[in-house]
Amino acid sequence: MQRNTPNANLRPGRFLDMAIGRPKLELVETARDRITIVADFPHLSPALLFDYWTSIDLLKKWWPPAAELQPEVGGTYHFSWPKQDWHLRGKFTMFDRGKTLGFTWKWDHESIDVTRVTLHFNSIPNGGTKLTLLHEGYSKNSEAKKTRDEHIESWTFFLRKLQEQGQEP
């Protein structure tokens, strides 16, 4: 499968979108085996931002068009994009509302091993949230590097969509 990944070669510390007036979204680390992205969500509290990852109705507003999940440690999830016949599956490994969310990550169409995603939700002074996303566990071969670079592009796109969600009531 071919994907366009124009941001794949960004150096750590570089802003992924330089548009004026948009919340910060920054790739702070990329190594062969991991990605770290920090994003600000000035209008979403840590608890509400957490819910955007774990509530099917909120999740479908910014990420998969179809989702099934058991929101608890050990619970499974299955996200799908029916038009592309893409399926993402995994298990929740950490689940502390408004603080930490962890899950395994495996696309049906990718041949690389299961990877892990950890999200840390930190309050910022204006009532919003700084989200730190760590995606790790990539092998150090060229296929895993290509997949990691595609994941950087995808995380950038979908985290921007999440940042565009409405303000907290």
Side-chain angles (χ1 to χ4, degrees), residues 3-19:
R3 288 192 187 155
N4 183 11
T5 58
N7 290 331
N9 295 318
L10 291 177
R11 290 183 183 88
R14 183 161 175 192
F15 288 99
L16 297 177
D17 188 340
M18 300 302 284

Side-chain angles (χ1 to χ4, degrees), residues 8-154:
N9 295 318
L10 291 177
R11 290 183 183 88
R14 183 161 175 192
F15 288 99
L16 297 177
D17 188 340
M18 300 302 284
I20 295 173
R22 295 187 99 177
K24 182 174 95 171
L25 178 63
E26 185 177 9
L27 177 66
V28 295
E29 177 185 38
T30 181
R32 288 188 73 90
D33 63 341
R34 69 186 165 275
I35 301 163
T36 305
I37 298 174
V38 175
D40 287 344
F41 295 84
H43 304 295
L44 297 174
S45 69
L48 183 57
L49 182 58
F50 187 93
D51 293 346
Y52 268 94
W53 290 84
T54 59
S55 163
I56 290 174
D57 291 338
L58 293 174
L59 189 64
K60 288 172 28 177
K61 288 182 177 190
W62 68 276
W63 199 8
E68 301 169 14
L69 58 91
Q70 300 166 321
E72 61 190 10
V73 171
T76 60
Y77 71 87
H78 173 206
F79 301 157
S80 63
W81 288 257
K83 289 180 183 177
Q84 294 89 353
D85 194 27
W86 291 348
H87 299 270
L88 177 63
R89 303 172 198 271
K91 287 187 176 181
F92 291 105
T93 57
M94 293 179 260
F95 201 94
D96 188 359
R97 186 171 185 254
K99 295 182 181 171
T100 307
L101 181 65
F103 48 93
T104 60
W105 173 283
K106 179 71 173 112
W107 286 101
D108 288 359
H109 64 270
E110 290 179 349
S111 61
I112 67 166
D113 293 332
V114 172
T115 54
R116 297 171 310 281
V117 176
T118 305
L119 305 171
H120 296 281
F121 301 80
N122 295 298
S123 295
I124 53 178
N126 65 2
T129 306
K130 176 164 76 173
L131 177 74
T132 302
L133 179 148
L134 174 63
H135 194 153
E136 61 187 333
Y138 296 97
S139 299
K140 295 186 178 182
N141 60 41
S142 60
E143 181 182 358
K145 181 188 180 304
K146 179 180 179 290
T147 300
R148 187 214 57 206
D149 291 347
E150 290 170 352
H151 290 172
I152 292 170
E153 180 70 16
S154 296

